[in-house]
Every structure is written in C-alpha cells, then in structure tokens.
Amino acid sequence: MKLLITPIFLVCGDGIQNLRRFLLPPQRIYYLSLEFYMGRTLQNTMVNLGLQNACDEAIYQLGLDLEELEEIEEDAGLGNGGLGRLAACFLDSMATLGLAAYGYGIRYEFGIFNQKIVNGWQVEEADDWLRYGNPWEKARPEYMLPVHFYGRVEHTSEGVKWLDTQVVLAMPYDTPVPGYRNNTVNTMRLWSAKAPNDFKLHDFNVGGYIEAVLDRNLAENISRVLYPNDNFFEGKELRLKQEYFVVAATLQDIIRRFKSSKFGCRDPVRTCFETFPDKVAIQLNDTHPALAIPELMRILVDMEKVDWDKAWEITKKTCAYTNHTVLPEALERWPVSMFEKLLPRHLEIIYAINQRHLDHVAALFPGDVDRLRRMSAIEEGDCKRINMAHLCVIGSHAVNGVARIHSEIVKQSVFKDFYELEPEKFQNKTNGITPRRWLLLCNPGLADTIVEKIGEGFLTDLSQLKKLLPLVDDEALIRDVAKVKQENKLKFSAFLEKKYKVKINPSSMFDVHVKRIHEYKRQLLNCLHIVTLYNRIKKDPAKAFVPRTVMIGGKAAPGYHMAKMVIKLVTSIGNVVNHDPVVGDKLKVIFLENYRVSLAEKVIPAADLSQQISTAGTEASGTGNMKFMLNGALTIGTMDGANVEMAEEAGAENLFIFGMRVEDVEALDRKGYDAREYCDRLPELKQAVDQISSGFFSPKDPDCFRDVVDMLLNHDRFKVFADYEAYVACQAQVDQLYRNPREWTKKVIRNIACSGKFSSDRTITEYARDIWGVEPSDLQIPPPNLPRD
C-alpha cells in the first residue's frame, strides 16, 4: 500500500494548490461538511490513477488476490447516508474537473455504527475504523490551530474581545483525493480535537494531576463520534461544539492560505480583504457548518478590524448554502441559552445580523409583523431558538436545492418569504454520482461492455452514454448486458448464501430497497407488498409466479423507535416467508445487515429492480436511485426527488412510476387522510395489516408490531395506505415485463443510455459556473516524475 501512497503525497496538500495558481483561475473552493462518507480508498485510488491492472498483475505475481486485499480495508464511514456520500462524490468530481478544491470536515474516531441483527433487532456496535491505523491520511501537526469555547465578551475602546475561553486544539489530517487520470490530487482535511498541554493546569497545583490528565478527554470528545442521525436534528451541546469546531479551524486555515499569496509562503502577505470573495468560495453542505457565517464576521470585524457593512458584504459573497431537506424535524434550531454559554460572541453577531435583516424586511413590507416573525433567524417562544436555515439563507449569496422538484418546494414553501425577497439567490443543482466509483469500480463488466460499444469517453463525460440509444435493439448488446447482470447476480448470490445461509434463486428478480430506515422512505409499503405476494402464493401455490428475492437494507438511528420496529418487521416477515415450504424459491426476503458503501458496491450491480418509493415531496433528491439506473436496474418509484428528472430523461414509460404526486398529497392533507378507509376498501391490504397486527409474523410476541399498526392506522404522516393499491398494481407490471427478458433488457439499456445527466461532474460544473464563479479545466498536470519547465 505504501508504494501507492507515496507518489500521491508528492502532489498532495498545499504544494499542488500553490502550483495550480500558475495554471488555473486563482479561486479556491472550500466544501464544508460534517459528513464525508468515503467508503474504501485503495481500489478507488488505483482506478483514478489508472493503476488497477498493473497492481492486479503485481499482486497476482506475489501469489495474492487483490480482491481479498481490498476486502481487508475498513470503510471510512464518516457519514450517515446521502448527504455524506454526496460530499464524497463531489470531492472526486472536483479533482477530476481540475478545480482547486478542499473538503473540510471532522476526523471522527468512531464513524457510523456497525449494525448487527440479533434475533431480528438492530444492535449497534462502535465502528472502530482507526483500530489498525489509516494509511491514507497524513497528520499535519504544523498546521494545528486553536478553537475557543465558552468565556465572556468585553466591549472595549479597541473593539470587542472574547475572553477567558476554553481552548481546544484542532489537528489536521490530510487525505489525498485523486482526480481521474489527470495527475491532479486535491486534499480532504479532517480535524481531530486535541487538549492543549495547559488544559486545566491549575489543578496540578492542588495535586489533581491525574484528574487534569483525565479531563483532557472532555476536549478530545469533540471528534470522538459521528452523530448517527439522518434527517433528524438532535440539539446536543456536543453536536454544537462539533459544528463550531470544524468551522473555526477551517476558517483560520482558509484565511492563512488567503494571506499567504507567495508560493510556499506561510507569512501573512495580504492584509486587505477586498479580494477575499474573488479568491475564496465556501460551500455549506446543509446547515451543519452554518456557523461559518457568524465566525467569518467575527474574524473580519473583531480581529481584522474590517467595518461591519464591508465584512457583511464579503461574507455574503463568499458563502453559499445547499439545502438537503424539507422535513421540519430535520431543520436545525439551536436554543439561544446554549449559544449564550458556548459561543457568547457569536450570539451577539447573530442578533446583529438578524436585526439588520429584519430592518431591511420591515422597510420593504411596512406593518407586516407576521412576515417579520416568519423571516427572523431568532424564533420566539417558550424556548428562544436560532433557526440555522434562516441564518444560512440570510448570509449566503446563493441557496440551492438538490433536485428540480425539491428546489421548487424550497422556493414555494420552506423559504417562500425569502424567495419573494431575493428570488435571484435561489437555484437548483440536481445531485449526481461519480461514474468512476459507481460504474467503473463496482461494475467493471458493464463498464467494459459499454467501452466496447462507444469508447471510454463517457467516464469523464457521462452524457456520451446517449451513444447507446441507437443500439437499444442491437442483439449483441442486449445479450452482453443481460450476461453481465446475470454474472453480477451469481456473484452476489454466493455472497448472500455464505453470509445468511439462505438458498438464493439467481434467476429470481433481485428487488432491492437500500437506504436509511425512515418512515418517509416507506420501507413499510414494501413490507405490505411482500406480505401480499406471500398471501397470493399461499392462496394459489400452483399458479405461475415471477420469483423474487426482496432485499431491504439500511441503518436506523439508535433513538428512532419506529425505524427499529421496521427492521424487526422485515426480519420477522423474512423468517416466516423463507421457511415456508409452500413458497419455496418463489419468494425470499433478506435484510442486508450493516449496509454501507462497500456493500452498496456489491448489491447495486446485481439489482434488477430499484425501490425509490418515498411519499411525493419528502425525498430531496436521492442518489441511490441514480446508482441503480446507471448499473442497469429498473426503477419503481414515486414522482419524488430526482426520480422526476430520471423519468424525464429516460421517458416515464421506461420506469415504473406510481402513486400520488405532490399536489395529490397536498389535496389529501386538506381533505384529511383516513387510513381505515383504505383498509375497508382493499381486502388484500386489510389481510396484510391484520396478519402483522395479530402476531402472524411474531407468534412468540403477538403484540410486537402493535406500535407499527397503530402508527399506520392513526398517525401516518407519510400516507403508506394511500399509495398501496397503485404500488401493488405497478409491481404486477414489473412482473409482466420481467417475464420478457429481451424487452426488460432493452429498457435497462435505455435507462443506462439516459443516465448521463446524473453524473456529479455535471453537478459540480454547474456549482462552479453558477455559484463559485470558476471554470472547470481538463488540463492535465504533468506527472511528478517528469521534469517541469
């Protein structure tokens, strides 16, 4: 592994970025995210450096198997799901597009927990991913920086001072991010918390030496563990510390780099901040790094003595905000009392920002007190709170959603008042995935098949997949694509049989639903369909059924009771179905334990059917949907998130679209959703619900799923029953097409050919041009072994 790393580090870090200034536009992009779900690095590095075949051969000569070596590497699971994985794809694209970009986050000692299934229940285990070290990172103690917490604020004649603070040190660890075969390597810099040597030193004088040393843990806890919540806000002080920690360290680093304009120079050279927004672009990945806005103001006003209005203009021009969710429980609202204690100066700055913002709104809409209340960054009430999304919108020059339908919802509902105030600020940037990891790396058979037909240009310009459209009826291509899928299914079947001891029928339809477990993602709708299929088989065992292997996978947040119940329900249904001799190999249900990036790389190439069935208007975009499309699975889904644009690109007739649209959901909300009405009308639904309720799937604990049934019948925000009939009917169409392998594969080819839009290269190109004001470059930096002119 060392041989691979050494050449990367020759061109990694500040050196390459300084060199770049002679080759590229000078602006640097800083992508701030509290999550980077990177997965494994070895194979990705070999693919992007064009070394995979050479390494494979060299390892083989040593009598070893490269695949076995790759399996030893731990996933870097520093993310929960879509948001963190998107950040990882973006880093790959920014390097591949030759942008001078840095990812900044936290080096969590423990990433997303490892999931074990014990008696059908999720059990969490700590993810000690650093146990054996991480060969891809390089500690950079020379760039260690102080971060301040607590203390008090003093207004003096020389300006504002933040005094008596507690200091924690931020130690950077750099990981190389290689672009695809362009000799460009960017840097992901993750911060780790360290206690300073004088931490609680006064305790030494009273003989409290041991206590003082043990107390160092309190400081170092900041980077100990990733909060395992997806689309849910948990207002814990430690989480707020994490958010400020990454922002404070990162901004010091950004300003150091901005000031040192000479090659390799670390001494301050620039003192004027006029050109700061021309040199620096900061992208906030959701509201988690929102404190970058008041922190940049604090640095400019308190430390650099820039006047307030100028500082505010610089801050707004520098920062841009990506919104990732419309679910109210996911939006960050921090108690003012917590801010007052932890970050007193930032609270003052937020109040000042908010006051000027409200003065501006009041001038434009005189007398509209309700509008002022709605648009304030401070929410009044029993507990005064800071609305971080409002702070992000107020303090950014660009706000974007992550799929067209989501960006419209953002404008029309979540930030409606802000959109009316500054419509030019709002944009859409539909998410994308990197085709290097999500095709070339995970599905080499399919990549080779495509290369044979259209060349390899699509790997850096995914829109070239359109060249496959004229070949949809090409018998050789149809045969090759079907063959690759079958090989992937056989390989994955062997993996499943070894792990789960369940005999898999590799010619069955692989029906896959993998993502975080959440009510809005509606794994329960899938469960109801499985039970319905089971009942149909039992009712008429002699009838010809399309055999299915249904796989559901994903982690539930440890404190999310209903999500954990969903996992128990899936495993309980699986227990009954998989052991029923009448069913045989017509239906199998597998819960994929510990779903993560490296498991996604195995299951996605093997899938026939991709389930994307969230309630319309709830999934901001989704990126799993894109991975399945690119890898030759057909989608069954609602008109939600990026599914809408996938249907537009490939033609709705080439996806299985069902269920309510956003306007139908809104109409049902106005009318009132009555779940029992659907049960009374649909006998198959009633039978399935009664079975779950009565303990048919949990004979040892008949009341096990009482909470699930109670939620579905009485307070289901996501209207599972309302889409049940359309979903089951749509699944029947899936069966019908699957019976005709040639027509199925033609649809698969058409989907692959139309998936070009969903490359993260396209997404990042749009961010670069529309938000950051830089132009991507296909310039190849000469390799480090060639002499430079």
Side-chain angles (χ1 to χ4, degrees), residues 517 519 524 560-567 707-708 711:
I517 310 292
E519 285 163 86
L524 284 171
Y560 189 174
H561 170 69
M562 192 52 65
K564 289 188 147 182
M565 290 308 305
V566 169
I567 292 173
D707 288 356
V708 176
M711 183 277 291

Side-chain angles (χ1 to χ4, degrees), residues 141-328:
E142 69 274 26
Y143 290 110
M144 191 144 62
L145 294 165
V147 175
H148 298 261
F149 293 100
Y150 304 109
R152 60 188 176 82
V153 179
E154 211 171 85
H155 292 259
T156 70
S157 52
E158 291 101 64
V160 183
K161 293 198 164 74
W162 184 15
L163 305 168
D164 304 331
T165 56
Q166 189 187 101
V167 176
V168 176
L169 298 175
M171 160 87 93
Y173 286 79
D174 286 357
T175 300
V177 180
Y180 181 67
R181 307 188 79 161
N182 62 351
N183 296 318
T184 292
V185 182
N186 283 348
T187 305
M188 175 176 70
R189 177 164 283 185
L190 302 181
W191 301 102
S192 183
K194 291 260 177 225
N197 274 338
D198 60 354
F199 189 71
K200 295 199 107 177
L201 196 64
H202 61 86
D203 284 354
F204 288 9
N205 305 329
V206 291
Y209 165 70
I210 297 293
E211 288 73 16
V213 173
L214 295 181
D215 274 353
R216 293 170 65 88
N217 275 337
L218 297 174
E220 293 172 4
N221 277 342
I222 291 173
S223 58
R224 194 80 68 206
V225 63
L226 168 76
Y227 274 84
N229 295 313
D230 192 67
N231 277 295
F232 182 79
F233 168 58
E234 190 173 354
K236 294 283 200 297
E237 186 178 301
L238 180 60
R239 174 64 176 184
L240 185 56
K241 275 186 174 173
Q242 288 182 342
E243 294 186 355
Y244 180 63
F245 175 75
V246 67
V247 155
T250 300
L251 277 170
Q252 289 179 73
D253 223 25
I254 290 172
I255 285 166
R256 169 188 61 78
R257 231 178 250 127
F258 167 76
K259 285 182 171 181
S260 308
S261 61
K262 290 185 178 168
F263 186 89
C265 164
R266 286 178 61 191
D267 304 319
V269 176
R270 287 199 192 93
T271 48
C272 170
F273 281 83
E274 195 71 40
T275 60
F276 192 76
D278 304 325
K279 301 287 182 188
V280 173
I282 295 173
Q283 190 67 36
L284 308 176
N285 192 26
D286 215 335
T287 54
H288 313 142
L291 285 164
I293 292 164
E295 173 66 2
L296 183 52
M297 286 297 288
R298 186 185 73 83
I299 293 169
L300 293 174
V301 174
D302 295 359
M303 300 171 76
E304 301 292 342
K305 309 301 180 196
V306 178
D307 81 79
W308 180 281
D309 291 338
K310 187 74 214 166
W312 183 240
E313 183 193 333
I314 291 167
T315 298
K316 266 186 87 162
K317 281 183 180 170
T318 303
C319 295
Y321 159 57
T322 301
N323 173 275
H324 283 276
T325 183
V326 298
L327 297 177

Side-chain angles (χ1 to χ4, degrees), residues 613-647:
I613 58 176
S614 51
T615 312
T618 60
E619 185 72 89
S621 166
T623 47
N625 46 5
M626 303 167 185
K627 292 162 195 167
F628 282 104
M629 184 186 194
L630 182 60
N631 281 277
L634 298 185
T635 301
I636 183 165
T638 48
M639 276 299 204
D640 197 22
N643 295 356
V644 176
E645 288 159 81
M646 284 162 52

Side-chain angles (χ1 to χ4, degrees), residues 107 162 245 358 544 758:
R107 180 182 177 266
W162 184 15
F245 175 75
L358 292 180
F758 305 107

Side-chain angles (χ1 to χ4, degrees), residues 202 504 670 758 781:
H202 61 86
I504 303 291
R670 286 193 294 273
F758 305 107
I781 288 175

